[in-house]
Amino acid sequence: MARPATTSRFRSCLTASRAETSVWIPACRRPNWHNKRPYSIQSQEEELAKLPNINPDALSITKTTTPKALVPPEELVFGRTFTDHMLSVEWTASQGWLPPRITPYQNLSLDPATCVFHYAFEAFEGMKAYKNPRNEVRLFRPDRNMRRLNRSVERIALPTFDGEAFTNLISRFVRLEDKFIPSSRGYSLYLRPTMIGTQRTLGVGPPGSALLYMIASPVGPYYPTGFRAVSLAATSTAVRAWPGGVGDRKLGANYAPCIVPQLEAAKRGYHQNLWLFGEEEIVTEVGTMNFFACVREKGTGRKMLCTAPLDGTILEGVTRESVLELARERLGKEEGWVIEEKDFTMRELAEAADEGRLMEAFGTGTAAVVSPVRMINWRGRDLQCGLKDGEEAGEVTARMKEWIEEIMYGDSYLSAGFLSHLVGAAPVRTISFRQTLKKTAFLPTSETANTTKYFIKQIACHLQA
């Protein structure tokens, strides 16, 4: 049967699927989806929800007796150096979440039949702790990471957890590992919360036990080249994610299949892949980052910042969300930019580049934060992304990096409706002043001092709440 004409990434996959695989089922054989059996997944979830959740007050700490020497910041390689300790919380289907522990960094002991090895019951997060010259340590929007990790583990039948309680544990862990946090701008302590299924079985089903743990690594710039523009290879022969899949969840299983295409791009002299989807070659993500393009609209000349929509195939990046909020606040309201989450094709991007309307492009993610793009190779030719000779980042890319880092390091409070979380507060709170910002973000300069005092007072109230 011929494949129908396509107009979107969903239609191209799902229409063909319905046309080619639908089978009529007699009424007497059709399953009754509405009658839940006593042993159904829904009943299991209701029982599991009654089990104990993570309890920060039950935390036990065993400190290492062999502390590691610090690696000079300029010698750090991303993800190669680790701190003295690790945080772990076990879960069982009969007992719920057990008391959390901070222990010396150590190997995990798992049976060869453990389900994570066979069926990829694994999800993770990437987040960072930052230290500024005032010796303050901050987490950047940890509530977003906890929400995303819960969505990820839920999708693969692993247990969900209280995100605020785990953020409290992260805060205490980070305080313990304070000496490993570089204080230089551009450096941080990378945090890797991970959950795995630990049941010893070759049977395929929801794991009866799991481990939520976190390790930490002091890091510098993600790319060895530092804040320099990268080159991309537009890739349509391999697909990173598809409708109905798990491309919007942070699962380890999403990453391993991308390595071979990345190696192939590297052999051709390109740093990363720009993932295209479907016959229309819709632009989705870049490597392991979300992708943004700054273009002038054809005909009107309006400045537009565009990125792919969250349609189930795009990872809901914390940095992506932050860039969009900053852009709407700083570029949209103040400078008249149009900020859009929409589908756009590689052909449209190439046309904008050929006509000089592609102003700049960049990727965003926790590891790299903001990564400028110099060129994109597509169908045998290199498309320039608006950078001049000797220029490593466009104006918007550089400003985004500056704005986000100001929040990450605690230098800016009146920024796009969010603040970074100051480690050491008790209890742990993630503070957001969106409604307050609408009233105060654009106050006259003469009122700035009073506004700052007001925010300090509000912060104190929230931390004591």
Side-chain angles (χ1 to χ4, degrees), residues 1 42 154 172 213 342-343 392 429:
M1 180 179 292
Q42 180 176 346
E154 184 179 44
R172 295 168 75 173
Y213 70 93
K342 68 170 188 176
D343 283 337
E392 294 298 334
R429 296 276 177 166

Side-chain angles (χ1 to χ4, degrees), residues 55-310:
N55 180 11
D57 293 334
L59 174 67
S60 64
I61 301 176
T62 304
K63 294 185 179 181
T64 184
T65 57
T66 55
K68 300 172 184 175
L70 296 180
V71 176
E74 62 274 9
E75 296 179 15
L76 291 172
V77 178
F78 189 90
R80 300 288 179 85
T81 303
F82 297 96
T83 64
D84 284 337
H85 301 90
M86 62 189 294
L87 168 66
S88 61
V89 196
E90 293 183 69
W91 175 90
T92 71
S94 60
Q95 298 175 281
W97 289 102
L98 303 181
R101 300 181 301 149
I102 292 178
T103 60
Y105 187 98
Q106 58 193 275
N107 294 337
L108 300 178
S109 179
L110 297 172
D111 190 284
T114 302
C115 59
V116 64
F117 298 138
H118 302 274
Y119 307 118
F121 286 104
E122 188 268 354
F124 69 95
E125 268 303 318
M127 49 196 300
K128 289 180 177 179
Y130 301 86
K131 182 183 290 185
N132 61 25
R134 299 183 296 277
N135 214 36
E136 297 172 337
V137 178
R138 296 176 176 273
L139 302 175
F140 182 65
R141 313 191 82 178
D143 59 317
R144 266 59 174 185
N145 296 99
M146 297 301 99
R147 180 180 66 191
R148 188 171 64 181
L149 182 54
N150 267 316
R151 289 186 68 245
S152 296
V153 300
E154 184 179 44
R155 179 64 177 81
I156 56 174
L158 289 174
T160 56
F161 58 94
D162 183 335
E164 186 170 313
F166 194 64
T167 302
N168 188 307
L169 292 173
I170 292 173
S171 181
R172 295 168 75 173
F173 174 88
V174 168
R175 290 204 301 271
L176 181 64
E177 304 291 62
D178 179 85
K179 73 173 187 178
F180 288 96
I181 310 176
S183 56
S184 302
R185 198 78 160 197
Y187 291 79
S188 58
L189 183 66
Y190 184 82
L191 306 172
R192 175 54 67 88
T194 304
M195 190 186 296
I196 61 174
T198 56
Q199 184 173 358
R200 176 181 171 272
T201 178
L202 296 181
V204 181
S209 61
L211 175 66
L212 173 60
Y213 70 93
M214 188 182 75
I215 56 177
S217 173
V219 298
Y222 181 72
Y223 291 109
T225 55
F227 190 61
R228 298 171 65 89
V230 298
S231 57
L232 310 178
T235 304
S236 57
T237 54
V239 180
R240 192 201 73 86
W242 50 90
V246 291
D248 60 337
R249 312 300 167 101
K250 206 165 180 63
L251 309 179
N254 286 337
Y255 289 76
C258 297
I259 300 301
V260 170
Q262 182 181 342
L263 291 175
E264 293 172 349
K267 289 178 183 177
R268 298 164 49 204
Y270 300 96
H271 296 92
Q272 277 287 1
N273 305 88
L274 179 63
W275 301 106
L276 308 180
F277 182 83
E279 296 172 0
E280 302 99 327
E281 296 187 306
I282 296 172
V283 176
T284 61
E285 295 191 357
V286 48
T288 57
M289 297 183 290
N290 297 117
F291 179 77
F292 285 81
C294 300
V295 298
R296 292 185 183 274
E297 187 177 39
K298 193 170 185 176
T300 67
R302 292 189 306 171
K303 296 179 180 178
M304 304 177 65
L305 178 65
C306 304
T307 191
L310 298 178

Side-chain angles (χ1 to χ4, degrees), residues 35-51:
N35 293 335
K36 299 291 183 181
R37 295 184 176 89
Y39 53 86
S40 69
I41 291 178
Q42 180 176 346
S43 298
Q44 293 177 24
E45 290 177 346
E46 291 173 352
E47 292 300 317
L48 294 177
K50 299 176 183 177
L51 296 173

Side-chain angles (χ1 to χ4, degrees), residues 330-390:
R330 304 280 180 87
L331 300 179
K333 291 182 179 179
E334 298 180 19
E335 301 179 22
W337 281 67
V338 177
I339 315 301
E340 286 196 339
E341 300 174 66
K342 68 170 188 176
D343 283 337
F344 56 95
T345 67
M346 190 63 222
R347 185 174 297 279
E348 291 172 330
L349 201 61
E351 182 181 275
D354 292 340
E355 296 175 357
R357 294 186 292 106
L358 178 56
M359 303 163 61
E360 55 187 286
F362 57 92
T364 64
T366 299
V369 185
V370 178
S371 181
V373 176
R374 180 171 300 283
M375 70 175 69
I376 303 170
N377 180 267
W378 180 61
R379 297 190 177 182
R381 63 193 187 104
D382 289 334
L383 304 172
Q384 300 301 316
C385 296
L387 296 182
K388 301 174 183 177
D389 292 341

